[in-house]
Amino acid sequence: MRVIFFLFILTFYLAAPAQNKQLLYNFDDLPQNLLINPGAETYFDMHIGIPFLSQIHLSAGSSGVSMYDIFKDDQGSINARIKESLHKLSRNDFFMVNQQLEIFSIGWRDNKRRYYTAGVYQEMDAFVYFPKDPAVLAYEGNKDYIGRNFNFSDAAFTADFLNVFHVGFTNYYSEDLNYGFRGKIYSGIFNAYSVGNRGIFRTELSPEGPNLYRHYMSGLDMVINTSGWANVVDSKASNKEVMTSLLESALLGGNIGVGLDAGFTWYPSDQYRITGSLLDIGFMRQTKNVENYRYYGDYQTHGIELLFPGTQEYWDEWEDDLDRNLKDETLTNSYTTWRPVKLNASVDYGFHENAEPCNCYRPMGRRRYYNHLGAQFFAVKRPRGLNYATTLYYDRTFNENFRGKVTYTADSYSFSNIGLLVSAKLSNFNVYLAADNLLDYTNFAKAQNASLQIGFQLMFSRE
Amino acid sequence: MKMPLINYLSKIVFLSLVLVSYSCVKDVDLDQYNEIVLSPEAAIDLIYFDLTADEFTGENGSGVTASDETRLDFLDDDYIQNSLVRADFNFRFTNTFQSPLTATIRLVSPSNSVQHTIEVPIPSGSLGEPATIDYTEIIDENQINRVRRSIKMSVEIIRHDPTAIEGSLQLASKGFYYFEFQS
């Protein structure tokens, strides 16, 4: 019960974000654009990320409730607000945290104008659906819900902590078309996966039965798969051993997976640009340090029947019967997890031509523009389907060294997400800062999501 | 050319500082966390039986008696010990013996000392017209320690007319358990 309580409270603390990087997408002055579209154009010939600082990305969100909804400082009671939120949220509401840290990144252009990239980044991604029925059962109990099903399939979550090693290239196919691919090797440090749970708990009146109620647990099958966790909680291991094993996992010594990113940029005409990308088409095999916790079975009871005088071991018999029918197991079966595939697509329109002389090593024999107006669509595959976001943006190049972008995004969290990106160069040194949900910036408690990217790198041109 | 660049950079830094310093969490009181109480109310079946005349094997001054008891180990669990604040026990007797009965239900500690006694008189009934008694015992905050100290429930039935052997006594019962889990 305590654990449920803790998880319940935790879900209100964890905001859940999106992996949508609408500010960086199509921003061809930054190499990070290539990570979200390997077929993107780039306006530089080489880049080197400052290790650990070239991209720090944080994003968190909650689709149905904000911290303010629960903790607002008014005359009301927090318990009433929790109860209200509990009933407002649905099983499809979710909480999510995503964090990425570029450890190392490098890129260069060859003589055929192709751009190659390589790098390593660390990623943490946690996604929890609101476990509506279990939460109602824990918070209110079954007394006022006689005859109603509590469905345990509402409980579903995934959590991943991994390193990604990647190499990619962007090919200049023609003046109008670029495409690119990135191969990825995932090196898993920790994974938890609990999707596809099922089972129903129900209490109903039993007018024909021997007692007043009948309690059912039907078709219960709850599984939590973990990999890497057993390592961390191994009580016999010293801190040093734990660190060593974590480091091994981070450097391809643990669970491995492979993935692919693909993308393109197409110019149907001078001023129009269409781009698209699919990211993290990949999977991981979880085979090392795996533990699966399973609780399953069917059971129904009317309570305890006294037989006068009977055995007086009624309780033990009842408990044995329960244990025979509802079983728990800890197994070590390998499992496969699919990475959350992401889709980006956009169309944009450039205007106010930039007449600065072009660099002919690069694939842009076309006119360039100071301003871009565009629309972008984003989707990410989650256990119960796709989550979407749509963004309108205005991208403005002030001069060779300073550029900014403003976005308006509508998604599962809100319809009022304004974001801002600024990127500046000082000689070869570049710094960028991107943040969204600026309208909620004066009070984060009211924000249902927010994301932030910041980075420093060196970028070179051959001119 | 250099000066404007430095200007831009300093603007970015300034902007970030402004954003960071204006960004905060306002109008919320996180200390309310300590006031969070989960107060689920559970409705759970308790004991039941169907008692016939041949199961009255004892005797005392006021009639023949039948007794039994069961351990209720969950009463010893942490969530009962720390968080149970009230319990309502509901007993429904259906009597077809043509004799009045007395049911005595006791909550008993591990060392067999009686913590709480519920006595329910049951009027005489018949096969054609059963007597039904619906009795609820509310054990509130002041008495809840009696439940927490208990581990067994015992039942003793006295049939005051030993000769009325036709019929039976049925019991169905349930408990409402009121919890308050605090952080």
Side-chain angles (χ1 to χ4, degrees):
Chain A
M1 194 63 95
R2 286 258 150 171
V3 173
I4 295 171
F5 175 59
F6 176 73
L7 289 177
F8 181 74
I9 297 305
L10 192 68
T11 53
F12 284 108
Y13 269 119
L14 280 184
Q19 290 195 332
N20 186 11
K21 292 183 181 169
Q22 74 276 23
L23 286 157
L24 289 172
Y25 191 76
N26 276 354
F27 200 82
D28 42 27
D29 272 2
L30 291 175
Q32 283 70 26
N33 178 29
L34 287 169
L35 285 174
I36 31 185
N37 181 1
E41 278 203 340
T42 41
Y43 283 73
F44 44 85
D45 296 315
M46 184 179 180
H47 75 268
I48 303 173
I50 311 284
F52 295 97
L53 295 176
S54 54
Q55 182 178 216
I56 299 165
H57 160 83
L58 279 173
S59 159
S62 142
S63 67
V65 68
S66 71
M67 190 193 277
Y68 182 79
D69 293 339
I70 304 296
F71 287 99
K72 68 178 137 191
D73 196 6
D74 67 3
Q75 299 307 308
S77 126
I78 186 166
N79 294 304
R81 292 193 291 264
I82 290 176
K83 194 164 179 165
E84 192 186 327
S85 299
L86 185 67
H87 289 284
K88 194 181 79 175
L89 293 172
S90 84
R91 71 194 292 271
N92 287 321
D93 277 307
F94 57 87
F95 305 87
M96 162 177 155
V97 182
N98 181 253
Q99 167 271 332
Q100 284 178 12
L101 177 70
E102 233 172 54
I103 295 168
F104 170 72
S105 105
I106 190 168
W108 66 95
R109 191 179 303 285
D110 73 3
N111 289 333
K112 291 180 177 162
R113 308 186 208 177
R114 285 184 290 235
Y115 200 83
Y116 295 88
T117 56
V120 184
Y121 67 88
Q122 166 268 324
E123 177 169 356
M124 191 270 286
D125 184 63
F127 189 90
V128 182
Y129 282 106
F130 179 66
K132 171 101 179 183
D133 278 9
V136 169
L137 184 58
Y139 199 77
E140 299 188 359
N142 66 338
K143 177 170 159 279
D144 295 333
Y145 296 98
I146 303 301
R148 189 195 124 159
N149 288 344
F150 287 97
N151 199 331
F152 287 92
S153 69
D154 287 3
F157 65 88
T158 64
D160 243 331
F161 193 82
L162 69 164
N163 269 351
V164 182
F165 297 78
H166 60 88
V167 289
F169 74 96
T170 309
N171 192 27
Y172 170 63
Y173 180 74
S174 75
E175 199 172 277
D176 297 333
L177 179 66
N178 283 348
Y179 64 85
F181 296 99
R182 170 172 296 100
K184 290 175 164 176
I185 296 177
Y186 306 112
S187 181
I189 298 165
F190 167 74
N191 175 269
Y193 180 84
S194 182
V195 171
N197 294 311
R198 55 193 181 83
I200 281 167
F201 173 72
R202 178 185 173 92
T203 301
E204 61 184 32
L205 294 174
S206 171
E208 304 301 321
N211 210 344
L212 299 173
Y213 294 133
R214 190 158 187 84
H215 305 286
Y216 295 85
M217 193 66 106
S218 312
L220 182 72
D221 197 354
M222 308 281 288
V223 182
I224 299 175
N225 296 298
T226 69
S227 81
W229 182 244
N231 249 358
V232 180
V233 296
D234 179 0
S235 54
K236 288 185 206 119
S238 69
N239 286 345
K240 198 176 157 196
E241 283 166 338
V242 170
M243 284 310 293
T244 310
S245 82
L246 286 181
L247 203 61
E248 261 176 34
S249 307
L251 298 173
L252 303 171
N255 291 303
I256 300 293
V258 291
L260 180 75
D261 297 350
F264 72 93
T265 302
W266 175 50
Y267 290 87
S269 75
D270 244 2
Q271 287 183 283
Y272 284 97
R273 174 173 62 169
I274 291 175
T275 67
S277 69
L278 272 173
L279 308 176
D280 281 323
I281 312 161
F283 67 94
M284 295 187 67
R285 275 298 286 161
Q286 313 285 355
T287 56
K288 295 185 183 167
N289 292 309
V290 171
E291 281 191 352
N292 334 92
Y293 309 98
R294 183 168 179 225
Y295 191 53
Y296 65 100
D298 287 274
Y299 187 65
Q300 42 180 295
T301 181
H302 272 113
I304 290 175
E305 183 179 14
L306 300 188
L307 297 170
F308 293 90
T311 61
Q312 298 201 357
E313 297 299 327
Y314 301 116
W315 179 264
D316 290 339
E317 286 165 13
W318 183 82
E319 216 168 37
D320 288 348
D321 191 36
L322 180 74
D323 291 343
R324 262 196 306 278
N325 289 288
L326 293 179
K327 296 177 208 165
D328 64 90
E329 284 175 352
T330 300
L331 305 168
T332 55
N333 292 336
S334 299
Y335 61 101
T336 300
T337 52
W338 291 88
R339 300 244 56 219
V341 177
K342 284 137 239 160
L343 168 80
N344 285 290
S346 81
V347 53
D348 91 0
Y349 172 75
F351 57 99
H352 187 189
E353 187 173 350
N354 177 353
E356 303 255 329
C358 79
N359 175 340
C360 298
Y361 276 112
R362 288 180 228 149
M364 61 283 300
R366 285 171 308 278
R367 296 166 201 275
R368 291 186 292 155
Y369 299 93
Y370 281 114
N371 297 294
H372 289 272
L373 271 177
Q376 182 210 338
F377 173 77
F378 170 82
V380 54
K381 170 86 176 66
R382 291 300 186 182
R384 287 195 197 133
L386 297 173
N387 291 344
Y388 310 96
T390 308
T391 297
L392 300 175
Y393 65 83
Y394 172 57
D395 178 344
R396 165 87 207 225
T397 302
F398 292 91
N399 61 38
E400 214 180 303
N401 295 309
F402 189 68
R403 185 168 166 183
K405 181 176 174 184
V406 181
T407 56
Y408 165 78
T409 302
D411 56 21
S412 322
Y413 309 109
S414 75
F415 292 98
S416 58
N417 180 353
I418 304 287
L420 180 67
L421 164 69
V422 285
S423 167
K425 264 196 297 186
L426 180 57
S427 185
N428 290 321
F429 182 75
N430 161 263
V431 55
Y432 67 93
L433 174 70
D436 72 359
N437 249 293
L438 297 177
L439 296 182
D440 284 325
Y441 222 82
T442 52
N443 188 357
F444 251 143
K446 290 185 182 175
Q448 282 184 218
N449 78 311
S451 78
L452 176 78
Q453 290 105 29
I454 185 168
F456 305 89
Q457 55 215 331
L458 298 170
M459 292 176 5
F460 305 93
S461 291
R462 283 183 180 147
E463 51 207 325
Chain B
M1 191 62 195
K2 289 272 157 158
M3 273 313 286
L5 287 182
I6 290 169
N7 274 350
Y8 285 135
L9 282 182
S10 57
K11 273 181 195 160
I12 290 180
V13 172
F14 177 72
L15 181 69
S16 325
L17 284 178
V18 169
L19 282 176
V20 168
S21 52
Y22 272 88
S23 151
C24 55
V25 168
K26 277 192 280 203
D27 309 324
V28 294
D29 175 11
L30 294 180
D31 288 342
Q32 292 179 86
Y33 175 76
N34 297 319
E35 296 163 24
I36 294 176
V37 179
L38 258 76
S39 42
E41 300 171 0
I44 300 175
D45 270 332
L46 216 54
I47 54 172
Y48 63 96
F49 58 71
D50 187 352
L51 185 61
T52 51
D54 55 328
E55 289 165 319
F56 287 81
T57 52
E59 227 176 300
N60 69 12
S62 50
V64 288
T65 63
S67 320
D68 204 350
E69 68 172 28
T70 178
R71 285 207 333 272
L72 297 174
D73 280 9
F74 72 95
L75 293 177
D76 202 29
D77 290 348
D78 280 351
Y79 59 92
I80 296 280
Q81 292 300 318
N82 300 325
S83 307
L84 184 70
V85 292
R86 175 180 152 183
D88 301 351
F89 295 120
N90 175 239
F91 301 96
R92 292 187 198 176
F93 294 96
T94 307
N95 181 22
T96 53
F97 286 119
Q98 289 184 328
S99 162
L101 307 168
T102 302
T104 309
I105 295 150
R106 298 185 179 90
L107 292 170
V108 182
S109 78
S111 60
N112 288 322
S113 77
V114 174
Q115 301 297 314
H116 189 81
T117 303
I118 302 163
E119 201 172 278
V120 186
I122 303 163
S124 173
S126 70
L127 287 170
E129 275 184 65
T132 57
I133 289 287
D134 187 329
Y135 179 88
T136 301
E137 178 87 350
I138 294 175
I139 300 181
D140 63 15
E141 225 155 331
N142 299 323
Q143 297 180 313
I144 200 69
N145 274 332
R146 299 182 184 182
V147 176
R148 291 185 188 160
R149 282 195 298 263
S150 303
I151 193 81
K152 283 187 281 194
M153 182 173 270
S154 78
V155 179
E156 185 187 38
I157 311 291
I158 303 171
R159 194 171 84 243
H160 296 292
D161 179 356
T163 62
I165 54 170
E166 283 285 302
S168 71
L169 175 70
Q170 291 176 354
L171 169 71
S173 69
K174 69 185 180 196
F176 288 163
Y177 302 88
Y178 300 79
F179 297 96
E180 281 187 3
F181 295 97
Q182 298 194 343
S183 51

